[in-house]
Amino acid sequence: MSRKLLIEHADVPGITSFETYRKHGGYASVEKALKTMSPEDVVEEVKKSGLRGRGGAGFPTGMKWSFLAKPEGVERHLVCNADESEPGTFKDRYLMEKLPHLLIEGMITSSYALGARRSYIYIRGEFMYVLRILEKAIAEAYANGMLGKNILGSGYDLDLVVTPGGGAYICGEETALLESLEGKRGNPRMKPPFPAVKGLWGNPTVVNNVESIAAVVPIVNEGGEAYAKIGIERSTGTKLISASGNLVRPGVYEIELGLSVEEFIYGDNYCRGIANGKKLKACIPGGSSVPILPHYLVTKTAAGTDRLMTYESLADGGFASGSMLGSGGFIVFDEDQCIVRNTWNFARFYAHESCGQCSPCREGTGWMEKVLYRLEHGTGTLEDITLLEEINKKIEGNTICPLGDAAAWPVAAAIRHFRDEFEWHVKSPQEAQTRNYGLIQAPLEA
Amino acid sequence: MKADHPQAVNEAPIEFSANTMAEMNRVIGLFPEGKQKSAILSVLHLVQDELGWVSVGAMNRVAQILDIQPIEVYEVATFYTMFHLDPVGKNVLEVCRTGPCQLVGSDDLITYIEEKLDIKVGETTKDGMFTLKTVECLGACGYGPMLMCKYQFYERLNKEKVNEMLDAMREASNS
Amino acid sequence: MIKVTIDDVEIEVAPGTTILNAARQAGGDLVPPAMCYYSKLPGTGGKCRTCLVEVAAGSTADPRPMPKLVASCSTPVMDGMIVKNKTSERVHTNRGGVVEFLLVNHPLDCPICDQAGECHLQDLGYEHGSAKTRYREERRTFSPIDIGNKIKLHMNRCILCYRCVAVANQLTDSRVHGVMHRGEHAEISTYIENAIDNDFSGNMIDVCPVGALTDKTFRFKSRVWFLKPYEAECACTKCSGKAVVWMFGNEIFRVTARKDKYGEVETIEDKTAWICNDCRFDKKDPSNWTLIGPRKIDRHSVISQGKYATKNDNNPKLLR
């Protein structure tokens, strides 16, 4: 069983109240940081911890913090990205709902490290009930002197505000989030300038995922080095994994990075295998925008080594036979699932969520969706499969923000690994309407 | 594909209730002076809480409250999919249709609700009680199939649960 | 000054200059096309992706190539940067991809479009497009609407460059149109029935790279290549009065601002010479204007004869 650094107390009755949270060691990191550490010390600990952004990109958090511009007399901001919208990902909601004070504690400690005096939590609008939980917790934190003027007598002031989105996946992209937070359409900004130089209202800003900010709490409490000891190589610490799809026990799990995928899917402490006694067909290990893996590449890499829950191991094999840890949205498909249907479904998602600002994404995602719709509904052609691959290549890398890549990769991977099934949809459209293709042959075993 | 959104008829700004106004002023006050536009999404949620949807007259009033041009409100309200720009039923059922929910039966859930309420996705029941919509991922993938109504999540749904849920909503809306 | 090399041409530019502007300073064939960037309208650019270029070396200090193609309109040059535009196969392929995307939902109604002959999308389609579409789906369509009594909006033709939004923001005192909805449903609209009524709103027509915004006083009156442009001047209290009048015989068919070879309104006496709606729409009598002389035909115009005929022979793709 993995150590739990974040959600150990998630099920303690009353843990959403300040008092109970404090009794279980809450706000210790604030005390430690504000009373015994300089902001630079905190940044240093986060750097030592090797923490990588938990929102999906996996960029080292300490490094991101050190890029923050600090011009004299200009306000800086920390913005928490709680716009969790990546299909397959629901860990941040779990964390905020169960442990609102953990996020607030992380926000205070992190804001102190960055010298931010006005910080924001931008939460997706659909999580309005979680926003209410956070609002209540923030009010408690103010009442108990953890927020506001002169926190714990340290001379450090911080105001923290939680504010909702309105239904837009794209606002999970940090510059779109900042636009939204300024009250505008969620159109991602051109970079440079990066938010670290010009962010919210033109001020230097750091945007971090909920889980990254929460992880700062154990890092400060136990030290960056201790945190770095957990995990393997450049995948340090623990990670929340959202498990969904055809599993016996889907849900949110905190794992130590380095756990084997085999153990995660089938282990008693985790998902306990595929639901209804079915077989595993495929898995998307890091949220809908990462490449899908066919069953023979899920628990083993192409080289035959055990696949582990780490940034490196899940990416082993590159786009040819690997995927990514991404946001930890672990989606499992059983043998009855139709890959074409699912690929179309995700393509529809990206077309729906494209902001429409740049042409490759606006036109390309919509085009892919329509071609996939035809393939799924029996009117596609073999040329359509080639066409999809070509549209893909023209979107990938050519868009303002990563949504283009996020839309392109899953389609490319699905065709790469399940071409037979796509072709079967063209060749036997009638049959494809009435039954599913089932498991594919494992070419590596043949 | 006809993509026309017919131009709406302009309407005079409408007044909101005292409670809504007080709450609007609170959320505007969360942002620094001069940055009141940042509160626009909060304010639009409050509008929808009061009216059930977001009308042109309401948006024109929001523009006054936030001291911005009406077009800036229209641009934002049409971008974010949570805002209903046409009247809806008392209970808007927003069913998640994205991948992880689809894997565990959201297609069947949508069909079942359509049959049960005798409406198609996008329609409202004749009595104005329910509107059925499909939405993209609501971040409850491990607990699907699911839907959201009035910011509340109804998870791991099956036919019985849907029946109970609809009855309870009907009762609450009638009382 | 810093040095940058674009398609083997070395240029010295001021720090902070974008790749596109550096290329424009050098001029000629190495200038990437731009459909959304407009140097006279701060904040535009980055959206259409037609100006994508390859950065083969980031700078002298860090000579690594940039992994992705970059938007030349919004990427500043670094000292020692090496950029490839015309000389990059990747740029050619991907720009072709962008043009294909811009055309999938475009009505291709050039034969009845007033912009034909001076349309940047037409130029791009000619240079990068293929003669056949691979788009089998139904195209997205909108009904044309009037926005104000002098401007027609054909949303079907729009490529969402956002330039007209920038004009409304920067030249007029209150903007009443903008971009509604999102993704492939995004559209330029006033949302409510509304007229754009402002002395400088006509400049939206001049900045529109395609035929989405057209001059109602000129619609269907003539093809642009039948008209002769003259530089002209008038005494105007609202604008500089420096314009181009487009004539057939002694009749003025339309009035536009003076535009440079990139289709941008020229800078005259340190000011961008936007023209007012009175000059544009109402002064159609030759007695309103002092003619200065014939206007040089810019590179975008089919009026410069023979440009396409010769190219066509070398392009078997188009003969099919």
Side-chain angles (χ1 to χ4, degrees), chain A residues 38-99:
Chain A
S38 72
E40 294 73 28
D41 291 342
V42 181
V43 175
E44 202 44 46
E45 289 307 314
V46 174
K47 274 190 180 165
K48 276 190 216 157
S49 74
L51 174 68
R52 293 169 67 175
R54 301 300 196 217
F59 192 81
T61 305
M63 205 188 289
K64 192 173 192 175
W65 284 13
S66 64
F67 290 156
L68 184 69
K70 292 174 179 165
E72 203 60 35
V74 178
E75 202 180 349
R76 303 189 281 272
H77 304 287
L78 171 64
V79 175
C80 171
N81 183 345
D83 191 56
E84 182 169 63
S85 314
E86 171 88 357
T89 315
F90 47 101
K91 63 184 177 79
D92 295 339
R93 169 192 163 204
Y94 177 91
L95 190 147
M96 292 184 288
E97 183 179 350
K98 297 275 192 177
L99 295 159

Side-chain angles (χ1 to χ4, degrees), chain B residues 47-58:
Chain B
V47 169
Q48 189 154 295
D49 291 347
E50 180 170 320
L51 304 177
W53 63 297
V54 178
S55 66
V56 173

Side-chain angles (χ1 to χ4, degrees), chain C residues 12-242:
Chain C
E12 281 202 2
V13 295
T17 309
T18 60
I19 297 173
L20 181 74
N21 281 330
R24 284 185 180 181
Q25 283 175 31
D29 249 13
L30 55 80
V31 183
M35 296 290 283
C36 68
Y37 172 74
Y38 202 88
S39 68
K40 311 293 163 70
L41 294 167
T44 52
K47 297 179 172 62
C48 72
R49 317 307 282 176
T50 54
C51 73
L52 289 175
V53 292
E54 184 180 336
V55 176
S59 65
T60 311
D62 182 0
R64 286 176 303 171
M66 291 189 182
K68 291 178 177 180
L69 300 181
V70 301
S72 57
C73 67
S74 47
T75 309
V77 294
M78 304 294 279
D79 198 24
M81 184 184 262
I82 299 172
V83 179
K84 289 169 136 189
N85 177 36
K86 285 269 180 197
T87 50
S88 162
E89 193 49 43
R90 256 175 88 201
V91 169
H92 190 78
T93 314
N94 285 284
R95 193 172 289 155
V98 171
V99 174
E100 183 171 23
F101 287 134
L102 289 175
L103 290 174
V104 291
N105 275 302
H106 192 81
L108 299 170
D109 58 347
C110 313
I112 55 153
C113 175
D114 284 306
Q115 190 85 359
E118 54 182 23
C119 173
H120 291 210
L121 188 57
Q122 224 176 11
D123 291 349
L124 271 177
Y126 185 78
E127 276 160 38
H128 296 277
S130 64
K132 273 171 78 180
T133 180
R134 297 189 288 180
Y135 192 68
R136 276 175 56 195
E137 334 304 325
E138 198 185 333
R139 279 164 207 261
R140 173 178 68 222
T141 57
F142 304 86
S143 310
I145 53 165
D146 288 332
I147 44 174
N149 57 354
K150 299 286 167 59
I151 306 173
K152 193 83 168 178
L153 169 64
H154 273 267
M155 190 54 217
N156 284 353
R157 298 174 184 156
C158 176
I159 60 150
L160 286 163
C161 70
Y162 287 61
R163 282 179 183 175
C164 62
V165 181
V167 164
N169 269 336
Q170 294 170 32
L171 301 188
T172 71
D173 44 17
S174 75
R175 178 163 65 87
V176 299
H177 85 295
V179 180
M180 302 299 134
H181 305 280
R182 71 183 193 205
E184 60 169 358
H185 296 280
E187 61 169 309
I188 297 285
S189 162
T190 48
Y191 190 71
I192 53 166
E193 287 166 5
N194 206 345
I196 297 176
D197 181 22
N198 182 286
D199 279 344
F200 285 84
S201 62
N203 290 292
M204 287 166 33
I205 302 167
D206 274 346
V207 302
C208 183
V210 294
L213 292 166
T214 51
D215 177 346
K216 281 184 72 184
T217 67
F218 175 61
R219 287 186 89 223
F220 306 136
K221 293 267 164 62
S222 173
R223 306 309 322 217
V224 292
W225 54 86
F226 293 142
L227 303 178
K228 236 179 162 172
Y230 288 90
E231 230 154 76
E233 228 169 3
C234 77
C236 179
T237 49
K238 289 176 179 163
C239 68
S240 66
K242 293 180 180 13

Side-chain angles (χ1 to χ4, degrees), chain B residues 76-100:
Chain B
V76 166
T78 57
F79 184 90
Y80 297 92
T81 49
M82 286 185 79
F83 304 116
H84 311 307
L85 300 174
D86 293 299
V88 287
K90 285 178 186 152
N91 300 284
V92 184
L93 308 175
E94 297 187 293
V95 188
C96 175
R97 65 177 189 184
T98 314

